[in-house]
């Protein structure tokens, strides 16, 4: 049996959904041990047990919450010295990739990032990594032990498998050398009405929206449908909307029932994050835009006219 | 204050890439300085303007990546270093980070600025590895940077706001594209850049061996692609067509 580690990502004590998604795959590959660090780790361990972890290594030192990446790297390195796993899975998320990168460099093993799946083959691990905007899937065999693989959010459905984990205290002292990048303040700017990742309908805007002043048109449509508004990287980079709205490779991955892409050409960076949506509707003035080739329904025309007309129709139907 | 900015030459994000028969990207098309790196260069120049010092650009790539460095020099950076070696072609993230770390160590920089992720790879794995190999803390996803003596403070963008993260220098920062609007190179800047130094170094100069890659690509398969649906013009019936699709999906 291979020994698999899953790095549990905690946000102020709450497990990131990606962690439980990964558990669904991890438990098919071997014996799973999860590592949960920081406040709430013990409570998280109970949940991880229900999702198939046999052992959860926990440490609730506040340093894991207050300092970026280095305390977690030190803890994983210490545990690795005692009992090295065959595979370590991390979520391909902003927080986890910082820890994974440091650990991969410290252990000198490198990593495979952005994988959509992982399987065991000939005693090793093979990751499937979307390539060229998801048009191709590369099979990458991990050459090092432990293999470190980062899995994209929403690659698997989280589900409980029953059972409970043995909870082990991960004894490690975090010295001053690892307490350097200090999180001194947390500021919440916007509370999303409907979370983008959970929304049944997502309406995303791109450059074709013309400017930030036109994004309220998308808000209106989203409100009428009970959905959430997303955006392409291009308009986030341009400062039209905050990063929290970015859908794509380096933003959020979504798979809603309906995805409406408005004024988005369909660059690979974007489509990787939304192509698993059940139904895709594209609104674009360019009939040749790549998004039109993957949409169930493409409407060629001026987004600023189509969106308000659609909102009116939805409101009329809903009364 | 000495600031190193890592820069990368990437296929122009505004051009349409194609996939060659051997599954490599057609990088022979137009290549540009990564737009994210332009923001990193801009932030470095603003810090230099406020605190004095030097801005050094470090890149790894084929010889023509000098053009990307030259672009940064024309914006105002002081000099450049290009790591180029045929053995580095196709380097994985760790080898890239090791090569960059070896070149940057010799510079004894106070700050290393990277973009959060490149426009072509978009995996963002090199910066944390580089920080580890340089033995410095990482302050990532910065949308704002303040330097106060030997303290650097950033606003780290998060899903619902930001965190304030502080560390003592030397440190590595990754910046988001929103941090600073890159300046245009002036004619004077372009002229001045022609005579600025770009030092070219190879693996031998860095004293590192390439080692074994973290992964071996065993093959490519076509991903499940979505079938193209119907494309219609926006006319009187278009909204009804959309409504029909929404009704079928049971969202109206």
């Amino acid at each position: 049996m291979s020994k698999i580690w899953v790095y549990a990502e905690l946000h102020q004590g709450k497990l990131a959904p990606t962690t439980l998604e990964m558990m669904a795959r991890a438990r098919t590959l071997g014996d799973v041990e999860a590592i949960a660090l920081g406040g709430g780790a013990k409570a998280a361990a109970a949940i991880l047990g229900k999702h198939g972890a046999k052992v959860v290594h926990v440490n609730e030192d506040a340093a894991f919450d207050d300092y970026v990446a280095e305390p977690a790297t030190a803890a994983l390195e210490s545990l690795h010295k005692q009992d090295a796993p065959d595979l370590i899975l991390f979520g391909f998320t902003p927080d986890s990739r910082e820890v994974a990168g440091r650990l991969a460099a410290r252990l000198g093993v490198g990593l495979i990032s952005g994988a959509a799946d992982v399987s065991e083959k000939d005693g090793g691990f093979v990751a499937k990594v979307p390539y060229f905007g998801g048009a191709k899937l590369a099979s990458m065999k991990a050459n090092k032990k432990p293999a470190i693989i980062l899995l994209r959010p929403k690659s698997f459905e989280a589900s409980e498998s029953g059972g409970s984990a043995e909870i082990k205290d991960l004894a490690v002292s975090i010295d001053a050398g690892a307490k350097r990048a200090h999180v001194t303040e947390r500021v919440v700017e916007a509370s999303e009405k409907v979370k983008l990742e959970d929304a049944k309908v997502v309406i995303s805007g791109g450059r074709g929206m013309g400017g930030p002043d036109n994004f309220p048109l998308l808000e209106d449509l989203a409100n009428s449908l009970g959905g959430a508004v997303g955006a392409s990287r291009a308009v986030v980079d341009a400062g039209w909307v905050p990063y929290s709205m970015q859908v794509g490779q380096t933003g959020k991955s979504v798979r809603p029932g309906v995805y409406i892409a408005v004024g988005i050409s369909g660059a690979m960076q974007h489509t990787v994050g939304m192509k698993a949506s059940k139904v895709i509707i594209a609104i674009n003035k360019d009939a040749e835009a790549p998004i039109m080739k993957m949409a169930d329904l493409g409407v060629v025309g001026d987004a600023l006219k189509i969106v308000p007309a659609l909102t009116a129709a939805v409101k009329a139907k809903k009364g | 204050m000495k600031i190193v900015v890592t820069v990368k030459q990437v296929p122009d994000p505004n051009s349409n890439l194609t996939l060659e028969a051997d599954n490599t990207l057609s990088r022979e098309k137009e290549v540009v300085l990564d737009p994210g790196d332009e923001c990193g260069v801009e932030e470095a120049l603003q810090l230099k303007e406020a605190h004095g010092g030097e801005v050094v650009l470090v890149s790894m790539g084929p010889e023509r990546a000098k053009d990307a460095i030259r672009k940064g020099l024309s914006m105002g950076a002081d000099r450049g270093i290009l790591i180029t070696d045929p053995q580095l072609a196709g380097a994985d993230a760790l080898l890239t980070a090791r090569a960059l770390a070896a070149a940057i160590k010799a510079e004894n920089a106070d700050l290393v600025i990277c973009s959060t992720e490149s426009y072509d790879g978009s995996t963002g794995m090199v910066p944390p590895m580089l920080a580890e190999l340089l033995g410095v803390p990482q302050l990532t996803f910065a949308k704002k940077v303040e330097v106060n003596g030997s303290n650097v403070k950033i606003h780290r963008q998060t899903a619902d706001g930001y965190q304030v993260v502080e560390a003592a220098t030397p440190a590595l920062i990754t910046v988001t594209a929103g941090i600073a609007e890159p300046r245009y190179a002036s004619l004077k800047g372009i002229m001045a850049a022609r005579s600025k130094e770009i030092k070219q170094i190879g693996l031998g100069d860095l004293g590192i061996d390439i080692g074994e890659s973290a992964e071996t690509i065993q093959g490519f398969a076509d991903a499940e692609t979505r079938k193209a649906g119907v494309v219609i013009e926006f006319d009187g019936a278009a909204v009804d067509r959309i409504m029909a699709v929404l009704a079928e999906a049971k969202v109206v």
Side-chain angles (χ1 to χ4, degrees), chain A residues 68-70 92 94-95 97-98 101-102 104-106 108-113 121 126 131-132 134-144 150 180-190 201 225 233 237 243-244 249-250 258 268-269 275 277-281 293-300 305-306 309-310 313-314 317-318, chain B residues 17-19 23-25 93-94 116-119 121-125 128-129 131-133 135-141 143 156-168 177-178 212-234 238-239 241-243 245-247 249 251-252:
Chain A
V68 178
E70 292 181 86
F92 187 54
D95 285 355
R97 66 186 195 181
E98 298 204 36
R102 274 202 105 103
R106 190 166 299 181
V109 294
L111 48 71
I112 299 174
S113 67
K121 193 181 164 192
V126 175
Y131 183 69
F132 199 60
K136 301 265 179 184
L137 273 178
S139 287
M140 294 189 178
K141 185 178 189 304
N143 294 330
K144 302 289 180 77
L150 289 84
R180 298 194 289 184
H182 189 189
V183 181
T184 54
E185 203 184 332
R186 291 184 171 82
V187 181
V188 174
E189 281 177 325
V201 183
L225 289 166
R233 177 173 176 182
D237 282 359
Y243 170 72
S244 57
Q249 167 121 320
T250 47
V258 177
M268 50 177 128
Q269 146 73 239
K275 73 191 189 93
S277 304
K278 218 160 165 201
V279 174
I280 297 175
I281 300 171
K293 296 185 175 59
M294 61 186 297
D296 299 284
L297 176 65
V299 182
V300 182
K305 295 204 177 85
I306 299 171
L310 182 56
V314 172
K317 172 133 193 208
K318 290 200 168 176
Chain B
L17 283 176
T18 53
L19 207 54
N23 285 309
T24 58
L25 294 177
L94 183 55
T116 296
E117 68 257 329
S118 64
Y119 259 78
S122 285
T123 65
M125 293 316 311
M129 290 179 166
E132 171 68 23
L133 296 171
V136 300
Q138 69 209 47
L139 302 127
T140 52
F141 290 90
K143 54 177 192 169
R156 179 181 191 262
Q157 186 173 270
T158 59
D160 57 4
Y162 65 92
Q163 299 169 339
V164 179
V165 188
E166 297 181 46
E212 187 193 18
S213 172
E215 81 269 347
T216 305
I217 296 178
Q218 295 189 315
F220 290 90
D222 288 327
E224 270 178 51
T225 48
R226 298 184 70 100
K227 271 183 276 175
V230 191
V231 176
I232 58 171
E233 292 291 328
F234 179 50
V239 167
R241 292 287 294 272
I242 300 174
M243 289 300 288
V245 173
L246 295 178
V251 297
V252 290

Side-chain angles (χ1 to χ4, degrees), chain B residues 95 139 142 181 192:
Chain B
L95 178 55
L139 302 127
E181 185 68 32

